[in-house]
Structure formats: structure tokens, C-alpha cells
Coordinates of all heavy atoms in Angstrom, one line a residue:
M1 N 16.9 9.2 -1.1 CA 15.9 8.3 -1.4 C 15.9 7.1 -0.3 O 15.0 6.5 0.0 CB 15.9 7.7 -2.8 CG 14.9 6.7 -3.1 SD 14.5 6.2 -4.7 CE 15.9 6.4 -5.7
K2 N 17.1 6.8 0.2 CA 17.2 5.7 1.2 C 16.3 5.9 2.4 O 15.7 4.9 2.8 CB 18.7 5.6 1.6 CG 19.6 5.0 0.6 CD 21.0 4.8 1.1 CE 21.8 4.2 0.0 NZ 23.2 4.0 0.4
K3 N 16.2 7.1 2.9 CA 15.4 7.3 4.1 C 13.9 7.0 3.7 O 13.2 6.4 4.5 CB 15.5 8.7 4.6 CG 16.7 8.9 5.5 CD 16.7 10.3 6.1 CE 17.9 10.4 7.0 NZ 17.9 11.7 7.7
K4 N 13.5 7.5 2.6 CA 12.1 7.3 2.1 C 11.8 5.8 2.0 O 10.8 5.3 2.4 CB 11.9 8.0 0.8 CG 10.4 8.0 0.4 CD 10.2 8.9 -0.8 CE 8.7 9.0 -1.1 NZ 8.4 9.9 -2.2
L5 N 12.8 5.0 1.4 CA 12.6 3.6 1.3 C 12.4 2.9 2.6 O 11.7 1.9 2.7 CB 13.7 3.0 0.4 CG 13.7 3.3 -1.0 CD1 14.9 2.6 -1.7 CD2 12.4 2.9 -1.7
L6 N 13.2 3.3 3.6 CA 13.2 2.7 4.9 C 11.8 2.8 5.5 O 11.4 1.9 6.3 CB 14.2 3.2 5.8 CG 15.7 3.0 5.4 CD1 16.6 3.7 6.4 CD2 15.9 1.5 5.4
K7 N 11.1 3.9 5.3 CA 9.8 4.1 5.9 C 8.6 3.5 5.0 O 7.5 3.5 5.4 CB 9.5 5.6 6.1 CG 10.5 6.1 7.2 CD 10.2 7.6 7.4 CE 11.1 8.1 8.4 NZ 10.9 9.5 8.7
T8 N 8.9 3.2 3.8 CA 7.9 2.7 2.8 C 7.6 1.3 3.1 O 8.4 0.4 3.3 CB 8.4 2.9 1.4 OG1 8.8 4.2 1.2 CG2 7.4 2.5 0.4
Q9 N 6.3 1.0 3.1 CA 5.8 -0.4 3.3 C 5.0 -0.8 2.1 O 4.4 0.1 1.4 CB 4.9 -0.5 4.5 CG 5.7 -0.4 5.8 CD 4.8 -0.6 7.0 OE1 3.8 0.0 7.1 NE2 5.2 -1.5 7.9
F10 N 4.9 -2.1 1.8 CA 4.2 -2.6 0.7 C 3.3 -3.7 1.2 O 3.6 -4.4 2.1 CB 5.1 -3.0 -0.4 CG 5.9 -1.9 -0.9 CD1 7.2 -1.6 -0.4 CD2 5.4 -1.1 -1.9 CE1 7.9 -0.6 -0.9 CE2 6.2 0.0 -2.4 CZ 7.4 0.2 -1.9
A11 N 2.2 -4.0 0.5 CA 1.3 -5.0 0.8 C 0.7 -5.6 -0.5 O 0.6 -5.0 -1.5 CB 0.2 -4.5 1.7
L12 N 0.4 -6.9 -0.3 CA -0.3 -7.6 -1.4 C -1.8 -7.6 -1.1 O -2.2 -8.0 0.0 CB 0.2 -9.1 -1.5 CG -0.5 -10.0 -2.5 CD1 -0.2 -9.6 -3.9 CD2 0.0 -11.4 -2.2
C13 N -2.6 -7.2 -2.1 CA -4.0 -7.2 -2.0 C -4.5 -8.7 -2.1 O -4.2 -9.4 -3.1 CB -4.7 -6.4 -3.1 SG -6.5 -6.3 -3.0
I14 N -5.2 -9.2 -1.1 CA -5.8 -10.5 -1.2 C -7.3 -10.5 -1.3 O -7.9 -11.5 -1.5 CB -5.3 -11.3 0.0 CG1 -5.7 -10.7 1.3 CG2 -3.8 -11.6 0.0 CD1 -5.5 -11.5 2.6
E15 N -7.9 -9.3 -1.1 CA -9.4 -9.2 -1.2 C -9.6 -7.7 -1.6 O -8.9 -6.8 -1.2 CB -10.0 -9.5 0.2 CG -11.5 -9.3 0.3 CD -12.3 -10.1 -0.8 OE1 -12.1 -11.3 -0.8 OE2 -13.0 -9.5 -1.6
N16 N -10.7 -7.5 -2.3 CA -11.0 -6.1 -2.7 C -12.4 -5.7 -2.4 O -12.8 -4.5 -2.6 CB -10.6 -5.8 -4.1 CG -11.5 -6.5 -5.1 OD1 -12.4 -7.3 -4.8 ND2 -11.3 -6.3 -6.4
G17 N -13.2 -6.6 -1.9 CA -14.6 -6.2 -1.5 C -15.3 -5.5 -2.6 O -16.1 -4.7 -2.4
D18 N -15.0 -5.9 -3.9 CA -15.6 -5.3 -5.1 C -15.2 -3.9 -5.3 O -15.9 -3.2 -6.1 CB -17.1 -5.5 -5.1 CG -17.5 -7.0 -5.2 OD1 -16.8 -7.8 -5.9 OD2 -18.5 -7.4 -4.6
C19 N -14.2 -3.4 -4.6 CA -13.7 -2.0 -4.9 C -12.9 -2.0 -6.2 O -12.1 -2.9 -6.5 CB -12.7 -1.6 -3.8 SG -13.4 -1.4 -2.2
E20 N -13.2 -1.1 -7.1 CA -12.6 -1.1 -8.4 C -11.2 -0.4 -8.4 O -10.5 -0.5 -9.4 CB -13.5 -0.4 -9.4 CG -14.8 -1.1 -9.7 CD -15.7 -0.5 -10.7 OE1 -15.3 0.5 -11.3 OE2 -16.9 -0.9 -10.8
D21 N -10.9 0.2 -7.3 CA -9.6 1.0 -7.3 C -8.5 0.1 -6.8 O -7.3 0.6 -6.7 CB -9.8 2.2 -6.4 CG -10.7 3.3 -7.0 OD1 -10.7 3.3 -8.3 OD2 -11.3 4.0 -6.3
I22 N -8.7 -1.1 -6.3 CA -7.6 -2.0 -5.9 C -7.9 -3.4 -6.6 O -9.1 -3.7 -6.8 CB -7.5 -2.2 -4.4 CG1 -8.8 -2.5 -3.7 CG2 -6.9 -0.9 -3.8 CD1 -8.7 -2.8 -2.3
E23 N -6.8 -4.1 -6.9 CA -7.0 -5.4 -7.6 C -6.3 -6.5 -6.7 O -5.3 -6.3 -6.2 CB -6.3 -5.3 -8.9 CG -6.9 -4.3 -9.9 CD -6.1 -4.3 -11.2 OE1 -5.4 -5.3 -11.6 OE2 -6.1 -3.2 -11.8
K24 N -7.0 -7.6 -6.7 CA -6.4 -8.8 -6.0 C -5.2 -9.2 -6.7 O -5.0 -9.0 -7.9 CB -7.4 -10.0 -6.0 CG -8.6 -9.8 -5.2 CD -9.5 -11.0 -5.3 CE -10.8 -10.8 -4.6 NZ -11.7 -12.0 -4.7
R25 N -4.2 -9.7 -5.9 CA -2.9 -10.2 -6.4 C -2.0 -9.1 -7.0 O -1.2 -9.4 -7.8 CB -3.1 -11.4 -7.4 CG -3.8 -12.6 -6.8 CD -4.1 -13.7 -7.8 NE -5.0 -13.3 -8.9 CZ -6.3 -13.3 -8.8 NH1 -6.9 -13.6 -7.6 NH2 -7.1 -12.9 -9.8
K26 N -2.2 -7.9 -6.5 CA -1.4 -6.8 -6.9 C -0.8 -6.1 -5.7 O -1.4 -6.1 -4.6 CB -2.2 -5.8 -7.7 CG -1.4 -4.7 -8.3 CD -2.2 -3.9 -9.4 CE -1.2 -2.9 -10.0 NZ -1.9 -2.2 -11.0
F27 N 0.5 -5.6 -5.8 CA 1.2 -5.0 -4.7 C 0.9 -3.5 -4.7 O 0.7 -2.9 -5.7 CB 2.7 -5.1 -4.9 CG 3.2 -6.6 -4.9 CD1 3.5 -7.2 -6.1 CD2 3.2 -7.3 -3.7 CE1 3.9 -8.5 -6.1 CE2 3.6 -8.6 -3.7 CZ 4.0 -9.2 -4.9
Y28 N 0.8 -3.0 -3.5 CA 0.5 -1.6 -3.3 C 1.4 -1.0 -2.2 O 1.8 -1.6 -1.3 CB -1.0 -1.4 -2.8 CG -2.0 -1.7 -3.9 CD1 -2.5 -3.0 -4.0 CD2 -2.3 -0.7 -4.9 CE1 -3.4 -3.3 -5.0 CE2 -3.2 -1.1 -5.9 CZ -3.7 -2.3 -6.0 OH -4.6 -2.6 -7.0
Q29 N 1.6 0.3 -2.4 CA 2.4 1.1 -1.4 C 1.5 1.5 -0.3 O 0.3 1.9 -0.5 CB 3.0 2.3 -2.0 CG 3.9 3.1 -1.1 CD 4.6 4.3 -1.7 OE1 4.4 4.5 -2.9 NE2 5.3 5.0 -1.0
I30 N 1.9 1.3 1.0 CA 1.2 1.6 2.2 C 1.8 2.8 2.8 O 3.0 2.8 3.1 CB 1.1 0.4 3.2 CG1 0.7 -0.8 2.5 CG2 0.3 0.8 4.4 CD1 -0.7 -0.8 1.9
L31 N 1.0 3.8 3.1 CA 1.6 5.1 3.7 C 1.3 5.0 5.2 O 0.2 4.5 5.7 CB 0.9 6.3 3.1 CG 1.1 6.5 1.6 CD1 0.4 7.7 1.2 CD2 2.6 6.6 1.3
P32 N 2.1 5.5 6.1 CA 1.9 5.5 7.5 C 0.7 6.3 7.9 O 0.5 7.4 7.4 CB 3.2 6.1 8.1 CG 4.1 6.3 7.0 CD 3.4 6.2 5.7
D33 N -0.2 5.7 8.7 CA -1.3 6.4 9.3 C -1.7 5.7 10.5 O -2.5 4.7 10.5 CB -2.5 6.4 8.3 CG -3.6 7.3 8.7 OD1 -3.9 7.4 9.9 OD2 -4.3 7.8 7.8
E34 N -1.2 6.1 11.7 CA -1.4 5.5 13.0 C -2.9 5.5 13.4 O -3.4 4.5 13.9 CB -0.6 6.1 14.0 CG 0.9 5.8 13.9 CD 1.7 6.4 15.0 OE1 1.2 6.8 16.1 OE2 2.9 6.6 14.8
E35 N -3.6 6.6 13.1 CA -5.0 6.7 13.5 C -5.8 5.7 12.7 O -6.7 5.0 13.3 CB -5.5 8.1 13.3 CG -6.9 8.3 13.7 CD -7.4 9.7 13.6 OE1 -6.6 10.6 13.6 OE2 -8.6 9.9 13.6
A36 N -5.6 5.6 11.4 CA -6.3 4.6 10.6 C -6.0 3.2 11.0 O -6.9 2.3 11.1 CB -5.9 4.8 9.1
A37 N -4.8 2.9 11.4 CA -4.4 1.5 11.8 C -5.1 1.1 13.1 O -5.5 0.0 13.2 CB -2.8 1.5 12.0
R38 N -5.3 2.1 14.0 CA -6.0 1.8 15.2 C -7.5 1.4 14.9 O -8.1 0.6 15.7 CB -6.0 3.0 16.1 CG -4.7 3.2 16.9 CD -4.8 4.2 18.0 NE -5.1 5.5 17.6 CZ -4.2 6.4 17.2 NH1 -2.9 6.1 17.3 NH2 -4.5 7.6 16.8
E39 N -8.0 1.9 13.8 CA -9.4 1.5 13.4 C -9.4 0.3 12.5 O -10.5 0.0 12.0 CB -10.0 2.8 12.7 CG -10.1 4.0 13.6 CD -11.1 3.8 14.8 OE1 -12.1 3.1 14.6 OE2 -10.8 4.3 15.9
G40 N -8.3 -0.3 12.2 CA -8.3 -1.5 11.3 C -8.2 -1.2 9.8 O -8.5 -2.0 9.0
Y41 N -7.7 0.0 9.5 CA -7.5 0.4 8.1 C -6.1 0.7 7.7 O -5.3 1.0 8.6 CB -8.4 1.7 7.8 CG -9.9 1.4 7.8 CD1 -10.6 1.5 9.0 CD2 -10.5 1.0 6.7 CE1 -11.9 1.2 9.1 CE2 -11.9 0.7 6.7 CZ -12.6 0.8 7.9 OH -13.9 0.6 7.9
L42 N -5.8 0.6 6.4 CA -4.5 1.0 5.9 C -4.7 2.1 4.9 O -5.7 2.2 4.2 CB -3.9 -0.2 5.2 CG -3.5 -1.4 6.0 CD1 -3.0 -2.5 5.1 CD2 -2.5 -1.0 7.1
R43 N -3.7 3.0 4.8 CA -3.7 4.1 3.8 C -2.9 3.6 2.6 O -1.7 3.4 2.7 CB -3.1 5.4 4.4 CG -3.2 6.5 3.4 CD -3.0 7.9 4.0 NE -4.0 8.2 5.1 CZ -5.3 8.6 4.8 NH1 -5.7 8.8 3.6 NH2 -6.1 8.9 5.8
V44 N -3.6 3.3 1.5 CA -3.1 2.6 0.4 C -3.1 3.6 -0.8 O -4.0 4.3 -1.1 CB -4.0 1.4 0.0 CG1 -3.5 0.7 -1.2 CG2 -4.0 0.5 1.2
V45 N -1.9 3.6 -1.6 CA -1.9 4.3 -2.8 C -2.5 3.3 -3.9 O -1.9 2.3 -4.2 CB -0.4 4.7 -3.2 CG1 -0.4 5.4 -4.6 CG2 0.2 5.6 -2.1
D46 N -3.7 3.7 -4.3 CA -4.4 2.7 -5.2 C -4.2 3.0 -6.7 O -3.3 3.8 -7.1 CB -5.9 2.7 -4.8 CG -6.6 4.0 -5.0 OD1 -6.1 4.9 -5.8 OD2 -7.7 4.2 -4.5
E47 N -5.1 2.4 -7.5 CA -4.9 2.6 -9.0 C -5.1 4.0 -9.5 O -4.6 4.3 -10.5 CB -6.0 1.7 -9.7 CG -5.8 0.2 -9.4 CD -4.5 -0.3 -9.9 OE1 -4.0 0.1 -11.0 OE2 -3.9 -1.1 -9.1
S48 N -5.7 4.9 -8.7 CA -5.9 6.3 -9.1 C -4.6 7.1 -8.8 O -4.6 8.3 -9.0 CB -7.1 6.9 -8.4 OG -6.8 7.0 -7.0
Q49 N -3.6 6.4 -8.1 CA -2.4 7.1 -7.7 C -2.7 8.1 -6.5 O -1.8 8.9 -6.2 CB -1.6 7.8 -8.8 CG -1.2 6.8 -9.9 CD -0.3 5.7 -9.3 OE1 0.6 5.9 -8.6 NE2 -0.7 4.4 -9.6
E50 N -3.8 7.9 -5.9 CA -4.2 8.7 -4.7 C -4.2 7.7 -3.5 O -4.3 6.5 -3.7 CB -5.5 9.4 -4.9 CG -5.6 10.4 -6.0 CD -4.8 11.6 -5.7 OE1 -4.7 12.0 -4.5 OE2 -4.4 12.2 -6.7
D51 N -4.1 8.3 -2.3 CA -4.1 7.4 -1.2 C -5.5 7.4 -0.5 O -6.1 8.5 -0.3 CB -3.0 7.7 -0.2 CG -3.1 9.1 0.4 OD1 -2.6 10.1 -0.3 OD2 -3.6 9.3 1.5
Y52 N -6.0 6.3 -0.2 CA -7.3 6.1 0.4 C -7.2 5.0 1.5 O -6.3 4.2 1.5 CB -8.4 5.7 -0.6 CG -8.6 6.8 -1.6 CD1 -8.0 6.7 -2.9 CD2 -9.5 7.8 -1.3 CE1 -8.3 7.7 -3.8 CE2 -9.7 8.8 -2.3 CZ -9.1 8.8 -3.5 OH -9.3 9.8 -4.4
L53 N -8.2 5.0 2.3 CA -8.3 4.0 3.4 C -9.0 2.7 2.9 O -10.1 2.9 2.3 CB -8.9 4.5 4.6 CG -8.2 5.7 5.3 CD1 -9.1 6.2 6.5 CD2 -6.8 5.3 5.8
Y54 N -8.4 1.6 3.2 CA -9.0 0.3 2.9 C -8.9 -0.6 4.1 O -7.9 -0.4 4.9 CB -8.3 -0.4 1.7 CG -8.6 0.4 0.4 CD1 -7.6 1.2 -0.1 CD2 -9.7 0.2 -0.3 CE1 -7.8 1.9 -1.2 CE2 -9.9 0.9 -1.5 CZ -8.9 1.8 -2.0 OH -9.1 2.4 -3.1
P55 N -9.8 -1.6 4.3 CA -9.6 -2.5 5.5 C -8.3 -3.2 5.4 O -7.9 -3.7 4.4 CB -10.8 -3.4 5.3 CG -11.8 -2.7 4.5 CD -11.0 -1.8 3.5
E56 N -7.7 -3.3 6.6 CA -6.4 -4.0 6.7 C -6.5 -5.4 6.3 O -5.6 -6.0 5.7 CB -5.9 -3.9 8.1 CG -4.5 -4.5 8.3 CD -4.0 -4.3 9.7 OE1 -4.6 -3.6 10.6 OE2 -2.9 -4.8 10.0
S57 N -7.7 -6.0 6.5 CA -7.9 -7.4 6.2 C -7.8 -7.7 4.7 O -7.7 -8.9 4.3 CB -9.3 -7.9 6.7 OG -10.3 -7.2 6.1
Y58 N -7.8 -6.7 3.8 CA -7.7 -6.8 2.4 C -6.3 -7.1 1.9 O -6.0 -7.3 0.8 CB -8.2 -5.6 1.6 CG -9.7 -5.4 1.6 CD1 -10.6 -6.2 2.3 CD2 -10.3 -4.4 0.9 CE1 -12.0 -6.0 2.3 CE2 -11.6 -4.2 0.8 CZ -12.5 -5.0 1.5 OH -13.8 -4.8 1.5
F59 N -5.3 -6.9 2.9 CA -3.9 -6.9 2.5 C -3.0 -7.8 3.4 O -3.4 -8.0 4.5 CB -3.3 -5.5 2.5 CG -4.0 -4.5 1.6 CD1 -5.2 -3.8 2.0 CD2 -3.6 -4.4 0.3 CE1 -5.8 -3.0 1.2 CE2 -4.2 -3.5 -0.5 CZ -5.4 -2.8 -0.1
V60 N -1.9 -8.2 2.8 CA -0.9 -8.9 3.6 C 0.4 -8.1 3.4 O 0.8 -7.9 2.2 CB -0.7 -10.4 3.1 CG1 0.5 -11.1 3.7 CG2 -2.0 -11.2 3.3
F61 N 1.1 -7.7 4.4 CA 2.3 -7.0 4.3 C 3.4 -7.9 3.7 O 3.5 -9.1 4.1 CB 2.8 -6.4 5.7 CG 2.0 -5.2 6.1 CD1 1.0 -5.3 7.0 CD2 2.4 -4.0 5.6 CE1 0.3 -4.2 7.3 CE2 1.7 -2.9 6.0 CZ 0.6 -3.0 6.8
I62 N 4.3 -7.3 2.9 CA 5.4 -8.0 2.3 C 6.6 -7.2 2.3 O 6.5 -6.0 2.5 CB 5.0 -8.4 0.8 CG1 4.7 -7.1 0.1 CG2 3.9 -9.4 0.7 CD1 4.9 -7.2 -1.4
Q63 N 7.8 -7.8 2.2 CA 9.0 -7.1 2.1 C 9.5 -7.3 0.7 O 9.9 -8.4 0.2 CB 10.1 -7.7 3.1 CG 11.4 -7.0 3.1 CD 11.3 -5.5 3.5 OE1 10.6 -5.2 4.4 NE2 12.0 -4.7 2.8
L64 N 9.5 -6.2 -0.1 CA 10.0 -6.2 -1.5 C 11.5 -6.0 -1.5 O 12.1 -5.3 -0.6 CB 9.4 -5.1 -2.3 CG 7.9 -5.2 -2.6 CD1 7.4 -4.0 -3.4 CD2 7.6 -6.5 -3.4
P65 N 12.2 -6.6 -2.5 CA 13.6 -6.3 -2.7 C 13.8 -4.8 -2.9 O 13.0 -4.1 -3.4 CB 14.0 -7.1 -3.9 CG 12.9 -8.2 -4.0 CD 11.7 -7.5 -3.5
R66 N 15.0 -4.4 -2.6 CA 15.3 -2.9 -2.7 C 15.0 -2.4 -4.1 O 14.5 -1.3 -4.2 CB 16.8 -2.6 -2.3 CG 17.1 -1.1 -2.5 CD 18.4 -0.8 -1.9 NE 18.5 -0.7 -0.4 CZ 17.8 0.2 0.3 NH1 17.1 1.1 -0.2 NH2 18.0 0.2 1.6
K67 N 15.4 -3.1 -5.1 CA 15.2 -2.6 -6.5 C 13.7 -2.5 -6.8 O 13.3 -1.5 -7.5 CB 15.9 -3.5 -7.5 CG 17.4 -3.4 -7.6 CD 17.9 -3.9 -8.9 CE 19.4 -3.7 -8.9 NZ 19.7 -2.5 -9.7
A68 N 12.9 -3.4 -6.3 CA 11.5 -3.3 -6.5 C 10.9 -2.0 -5.7 O 10.1 -1.3 -6.3 CB 10.8 -4.5 -6.0
Q69 N 11.4 -1.8 -4.5 CA 11.0 -0.6 -3.8 C 11.4 0.6 -4.5 O 10.6 1.6 -4.6 CB 11.6 -0.6 -2.4 CG 11.1 -1.7 -1.5 CD 11.7 -1.6 -0.1 OE1 12.0 -0.5 0.4 NE2 11.9 -2.7 0.5
E70 N 12.6 0.7 -5.0 CA 13.0 1.9 -5.8 C 12.1 2.1 -7.0 O 11.8 3.3 -7.3 CB 14.5 1.7 -6.2 CG 15.4 1.7 -5.0 CD 16.9 1.4 -5.4 OE1 17.1 0.9 -6.6 OE2 17.7 1.4 -4.5
A71 N 11.7 1.1 -7.7 CA 10.8 1.2 -8.8 C 9.5 1.8 -8.4 O 9.0 2.7 -9.1 CB 10.7 -0.1 -9.5
F72 N 8.9 1.3 -7.3 CA 7.7 1.9 -6.8 C 7.8 3.4 -6.5 O 7.0 4.2 -6.9 CB 7.2 1.1 -5.6 CG 6.2 0.1 -5.8 CD1 6.6 -1.2 -6.1 CD2 4.9 0.3 -5.7 CE1 5.7 -2.2 -6.3 CE2 3.9 -0.7 -5.9 CZ 4.4 -2.0 -6.2
V73 N 8.8 3.7 -5.7 CA 9.0 5.1 -5.3 C 9.3 6.0 -6.5 O 8.8 7.1 -6.6 CB 10.1 5.2 -4.2 CG1 10.4 6.6 -3.9 CG2 9.7 4.4 -3.0
A74 N 10.1 5.5 -7.5 CA 10.4 6.3 -8.7 C 9.2 6.6 -9.5 O 9.1 7.6 -10.2 CB 11.5 5.6 -9.5
A75 N 8.2 5.7 -9.5 CA 7.0 5.8 -10.3 C 6.1 7.0 -9.8 O 5.2 7.4 -10.5 CB 6.2 4.5 -10.3
E76 N 6.4 7.4 -8.6 CA 5.6 8.5 -8.0 C 5.8 9.7 -8.8 O 5.8 10.7 -8.8 CB 5.9 8.7 -6.5 CG 5.5 7.5 -5.7 CD 5.9 7.7 -4.2 OE1 6.7 8.6 -3.9 OE2 5.3 7.0 -3.4

């Protein structure tokens, strides 16, 4: 699980553009997607537990403590 945690990123939603699948002031797991990033999007595991693209401007990257990261990954 350590390798998976090292590649896992998290972000805080600061805007949702009226999307019902993401909530402001909530943390989300971000999956790597270089092509989406070049276009200004992030691949986000949203409330449906599926990953979708959302504008990068909706999020602020954060560093969660290891125990919090483990809780996110274990919930998968």
C-alpha cells in the first residue's frame, strides 16, 4: 500500500459549478491523468465513487497526513 499512497494525490473542492457529484469544502482523491492536466482538468474520484474530469480551478491540492491517506485508499 505504501507505493500506492506515494502516487495518490488529494484536493479540496473550492468550487463545484453546480455539479451535484462534487461538494465544496470536501476532500477528493485525484488520479494521475497527464492528458487531462494539459487541458486544465483533473481526474477526480467523486461522490459516485467513479472518476470523472473536472476543471482544475475547482480544486486546491493538499497534503493529507498518512493516516488520512490510508483511510481514503482503504475505502476503495
Side-chain angles (χ1 to χ4, degrees):
M1 180 165 26
K2 286 184 182 180
K3 282 188 177 182
K4 188 172 186 178
L5 287 180
L6 292 176
K7 294 181 181 180
T8 303
Q9 290 185 307
F10 298 92
L12 173 66
C13 179
I14 57 171
E15 175 59 56
N16 67 358
D18 295 325
C19 294
E20 294 181 9
D21 291 330
I22 55 174
E23 298 177 26
K24 291 181 187 178
R25 296 177 297 280
K26 189 165 183 178
F27 299 104
Y28 291 93
Q29 183 177 356
I30 307 300
L31 302 178
D33 188 329
E34 290 180 21
E35 186 175 337
R38 282 193 294 272
E39 299 293 326
Y41 290 90
L42 296 176
R43 185 163 298 281
V44 177
V45 179
D46 65 17
E47 297 300 319
S48 70
Q49 297 305 307
E50 297 291 329
D51 59 280
Y52 294 99
L53 296 177
Y54 293 97
E56 184 176 358
S57 63
Y58 286 8
F59 299 90
V60 175
F61 283 98
I62 54 154
Q63 181 63 41
L64 291 178
R66 179 170 286 290
K67 286 200 177 262
Q69 290 184 35
E70 289 171 354
F72 263 89
V73 173
E76 295 177 343

